[in-house]
Amino acid sequence: MNKENNSPQLSENEIIQKRKEKISLLKSEGIHPYENRLKPENSIKEIHDFCSSKTQEHLEKTGKEENFSIAGRVMLLRIMGKLAFANLKDETGSMQIVFAKDFMGEEFATFKKSIDVGDIIWVKGESFITRTGEYSILAHSAKLLTKNIRPLPEKFHGLTDKETRYRQRYLDLIMNDDVKETFRKRTKIVSFIRNYMEQEGFLEVETPMMHPLVSGAAAKPFITHHNTLDVDLYMRIAPECYLKRLLVGGMGKVYELNRNFRNEGMGIKHNPEFTMMEFYWPYATYEDLIELTQKMISELVEKVCGSLKVTYQDKEIDFSMPWKKMTIEESLINENICTAEQLADREKLVETAVSKGIDRDSLKGLSRFKIIIELFEHCIEENLWNPVFITNYPTEVSPLSRRNDDNPEYCDRFELFIAGREIANAFSELNDPKQQYEAFLSQVEAKKAGDEETIDMDHDYIRALEYGMPPAAGEGIGIDRLVMLLTDSPSIRDVILFPQMRAEN
C-alpha cells in the first residue's frame, strides 16, 4: 500500500512537508520532479475505443505489438510488493494501469519511491482486458512528469463543499467529472450560438469594455481610473450604444458575445461579471426577434440535450414552439394579482402591492408604471416556467426602446422568461434623436434624485442618431442563465469557471 496516503496519523501539513522532502530527495538522485520531455501519443478514450473493438483473444495475441503511451493524473494507487495498480485520469477518461517488476525491471523500484496519488505521470505499455472485463494498460515504462505536493480529497467523500469547489475550481475539475462535462457543454452552447448567428448573416464585433459614461442598461457600474488621461471610466454594463453606432455606420446585422459588469448583489442568478450576447438587426422589429429567438434556442436545446423537453431541478421545461406571448398587464390579470381597474389607478395599485407583501415604504415616489413592474417581479416572474415572451413594457422603464405607435406610454419590447428567470431582453430600437434626448434627460433627473441604477446623458450617441440610424431591433441574451437551464445547474456559480467570491478568511 502507499503508506503516506493511507495513514490516518498524517495531517495535510505533514503530507505536504513529506512531499517537499521527497522532491529534494528525487532531485539529489537525478530524477526531475517536473519533467517536460515526454509526450503522450494516445488518449485514454482512444485506448478504450481500441479495446472495445477487439476481442480478449486478439489483444492477447497482438497486445505486445500495439503499445500505447498516455499521460494523466494518478487518482488511486495501490503498491503491493512487486505489483502496483493505479487509476490514471486524463481529460478524456480514466483507466487502470498495472505496474509489475517483471515487466519494468529496475525502473519499478524508481517508480515505487517516486509516485504518489495526485502525481501526473507518463506511461507506455500494452493494452489488455482483465478477467472482470476492465480495459487496462500493462506498463512497460513509467515516468514522473509533475510531482503533487498537496493531497487530493479523500476518494469516497470527494470534494463536495460548495465554497471550496468555487474557490478552487482546479480541484473541483480534478475530482468531479460532471463539472468538466458542464463546462464542455457550455462551450458547445456558445459555439452553436456563434455558428447560428453567422448563418443568419450577423457579423461578430468587439466594442469597448471601458466606457466614459454609464450606458446601455439601468444598473450600478464598476468604476476604474485611467492614469494617463486622468479620467474615471466605467466597466461596461452593456455594449448597446456602441453596437447601435455601428448600425448608423452601415455595418448591418451585428452581434457581440462577451462580458458585462454590474456592481450589484451576488446570488444564484447574479455574478458581477457575466456573459451576454447582444445583437442588432436593421429593418427588423421586436416581433422578428421573437421568431429568431425561439427558433435558435429550440434548435440549441435539441442539439445539446437531444430533446425539446428538458428537466431542470426535477421539473420539466417544454421548449416546443410556438412559445407563449402575453403583455405584462395580462400576466397580472391572468394570475388574479389585480384587475384592469386596479392597474389603471396608482393608489389602488399601491394597496394591491402591499396586500401581496411588498413594503409600502418601498413604493413611495414610484409611478404607476414602476409599481406594475414591482408587482410583476414580486408575484409573477418566478412562476413563468415554460418559455414565455412578456411584452408591452412601460416606456418609462425602457429608456432606449421605441415607443409604441398606438400607445406611447408603452414600448415595443419583450423579455423572455424560462424557469422563473429572465433569459433575454429585446425591443424595437428608439432612433428618434429628440425622443432619445428626452429619455436620457429623465434618467439624469432620476440620478439627481438618488437613483443609482440609471444611465448618463450620452451626447455623442445623440449625435450619431442625428446622422440617422435605420429602424432596427436589438436583443440581449444571458448566456450564463441559458447554460444553467441546459446543464441543470441551480446556481450561476456552477456555470462560471471562476465566479466572484468573498475574500478568503
Side-chain angles (χ1 to χ4, degrees):
M1 286 287 199
N2 187 309
K3 292 181 181 179
E4 179 203 84
N5 292 296
N6 289 276
S7 173
Q9 287 78 32
L10 292 180
S11 69
E12 181 175 350
N13 287 337
E14 288 172 329
I15 292 175
I16 290 171
Q17 184 57 38
K18 282 187 171 292
R19 297 277 177 96
K20 289 179 177 179
E21 291 170 1
K22 183 179 282 191
I23 286 173
S24 297
L25 179 63
L26 292 173
K27 286 181 177 179
S28 70
E29 295 180 357
I31 300 171
H32 201 319
Y34 299 100
E35 181 61 73
N36 195 27
R37 290 178 295 179
L38 294 170
K39 296 180 181 179
E41 296 177 353
N42 308 101
S43 70
I44 287 174
K45 183 180 183 304
E46 288 174 358
I47 301 172
H48 273 286
D49 291 345
F50 173 81
C51 290
S52 64
S53 68
K54 308 295 181 185
T55 64
Q56 186 161 352
E57 182 183 6
H58 175 86
L59 288 175
E60 289 173 355
K61 288 180 179 178
T62 62
K64 293 179 181 179
E65 300 171 5
E66 296 167 330
N67 283 340
F68 297 93
S69 68
I70 56 176
R73 189 180 298 274
V74 177
M75 300 302 294
L76 293 172
L77 180 63
R78 290 182 298 144
I79 299 176
M80 299 174 293
K82 297 180 180 180
L83 278 175
F85 299 87
N87 180 275
L88 195 69
K89 182 178 180 182
D90 71 5
E91 67 272 17
T92 68
S94 61
M95 176 166 272
Q96 176 177 262
I97 313 295
V98 179
F99 305 89
K101 187 177 186 302
D102 290 345
F103 285 85
M104 294 178 67
E106 294 304 315
E107 195 177 328
F108 183 75
T110 303
F111 168 83
K112 280 179 64 174
K113 68 180 178 183
S114 303
I115 306 301
D116 294 291
V117 171
D119 289 351
I120 297 172
I121 66 172
W122 174 91
V123 174
K124 186 172 185 177
E126 62 189 80
S127 61
F128 72 100
I129 304 175
T130 66
R131 291 177 182 175
T132 58
E134 183 176 2
Y135 302 147
S136 303
I137 291 289
L138 177 60
H140 295 172
S141 179
K143 303 289 184 184
L144 174 65
L145 298 183
T146 302
K147 189 68 195 160
N148 166 282
I149 295 175
R150 289 185 176 270
L152 299 179
E154 196 267 329
K155 173 194 170 187
F156 293 104
H157 295 99
L159 181 65
T160 58
D161 180 70
K162 287 279 187 181
E163 180 83 8
T164 304
R165 288 182 55 209
Y166 297 147
R167 194 178 297 282
Q168 300 178 42
R169 183 66 86 186
Y170 43 88
L171 189 57
D172 191 21
L173 291 166
I174 290 171
M175 300 305 298
N176 297 314
D177 289 340
D178 58 334
V179 174
K180 277 193 189 126
E181 186 54 35
T182 291
F183 288 102
R184 286 194 179 104
K185 190 174 278 191
R186 181 186 173 112
T187 297
K188 291 178 183 176
I189 290 167
V190 171
S191 179
F192 177 93
I193 290 172
R194 281 198 159 103
N195 290 335
Y196 190 94
M197 296 302 286
E198 183 178 352
Q199 290 169 13
E200 290 292 321
F202 285 84
L203 178 71
E204 184 173 12
V205 296
E206 294 178 334
T207 62
M209 290 284 188
M210 295 187 294
H211 293 182
L213 300 165
V214 180
S215 69
K220 190 175 180 181
F222 288 96
I223 304 173
T224 186
H225 188 80
H226 192 289
N227 292 332
T228 302
L229 296 177
D230 193 25
V231 295
D232 284 340
L233 296 170
Y234 304 93
M235 299 302 291
R236 78 168 180 204
I237 295 170
E240 178 166 343
C241 289
Y242 282 98
L243 290 170
K244 289 197 284 195
R245 282 173 170 90
L246 299 180
L247 299 189
V248 173
M251 290 285 285
K253 294 178 173 180
V254 292
Y255 82 97
E256 184 167 9
L257 202 162
N258 218 320
R259 295 287 200 283
N260 291 341
F261 307 86
R262 298 185 184 179
N263 196 356
E264 299 171 342
M266 299 191 297
I268 62 170
K269 296 188 288 186
H270 297 94
N271 192 67
E273 176 184 1
F274 61 98
T275 302
M276 179 179 284
M277 180 179 75
E278 201 154 312
F279 61 98
Y280 292 86
W281 183 356
Y283 311 107
T285 70
Y286 80 107
E287 291 171 331
D288 294 312
L289 297 185
I290 285 176
E291 295 306 311
L292 183 146
T293 302
Q294 65 179 338
K295 187 170 182 291
M296 177 177 69
I297 294 179
S298 292
E299 289 186 19
L300 168 64
V301 170
E302 196 157 29
K303 174 77 172 179
V304 171
C305 301
S307 171
L308 288 173
K309 293 184 178 179
V310 175
T311 299
Y312 180 70
Q313 300 300 286
D314 299 322
K315 189 175 178 181
E316 185 179 85
I317 304 173
D318 188 353
F319 287 91
S320 302
M321 296 193 296
W323 295 352
K324 191 175 181 179
K325 289 189 286 186
M326 60 180 157
T327 70
I328 195 167
E329 294 186 2
E330 285 172 348
S331 73
L332 291 165
I333 294 170
N334 292 346
E335 293 301 316
N336 297 315
I337 303 302
C338 53
T339 64
E341 180 185 359
Q342 290 169 327
L343 283 168
D345 187 306
R346 184 189 179 280
E347 295 310 313
K348 289 179 179 177
L349 267 180
V350 169
E351 296 308 315
T352 300
V354 171
S355 73
K356 299 299 180 183
I358 299 175
D359 181 59
R360 187 183 294 274
D361 288 341
S362 70
L363 302 173
K364 288 181 179 178
L366 294 188
S367 67
R368 179 173 70 89
F369 292 119
K370 288 190 175 180
I371 296 173
I372 288 173
I373 296 298
E374 289 289 320
L375 268 172
F376 173 80
E377 292 177 351
H378 186 78
C379 301
I380 301 296
E381 188 172 313
E382 67 178 13
N383 298 317
L384 300 174
W385 196 257
N386 285 326
V388 56
F389 294 104
I390 300 296
T391 64
N392 284 44
Y393 277 76
T395 299
E396 181 182 347
V397 298
S398 313
L400 295 164
S401 304
R402 187 181 189 278
R403 298 173 188 175
N404 184 272
D405 290 332
D406 297 325
N407 188 352
E409 289 186 322
Y410 295 87
C411 59
D412 295 334
R413 173 185 173 189
F414 74 77
E415 287 189 348
L416 169 64
F417 290 89
I418 308 173
R421 294 164 188 162
E422 177 201 340
I423 301 299
N425 179 27
F427 40 81
S428 297
E429 301 298 333
L430 176 57
N431 62 349
D432 180 332
K434 183 174 183 298
Q435 286 185 10
Q436 184 63 78
Y437 176 81
E438 292 168 351
F440 280 151
L441 201 59
S442 69
Q443 292 282 298
V444 171
E445 294 301 318
K447 180 170 285 191
K448 288 179 181 177
D451 189 347
E452 293 184 316
E453 295 187 354
T454 57
I455 57 180
D456 292 332
M457 174 65 74
D458 190 338
H459 289 288
D460 179 69
Y461 181 66
I462 299 296
R463 178 168 58 189
L465 292 184
E466 289 174 344
Y467 280 100
M469 186 180 85
E475 180 172 351
I477 297 177
I479 300 301
D480 304 307
R481 291 185 181 181
L482 189 57
V483 174
M484 285 172 65
L485 294 179
L486 303 189
T487 58
D488 196 16
S489 300
S491 171
I492 196 169
R493 294 182 177 189
D494 294 322
V495 299
I496 295 175
L497 276 168
F498 300 101
Q500 190 66 39
M501 305 289 291
R502 295 184 187 278
E504 211 164 354
N505 302 321

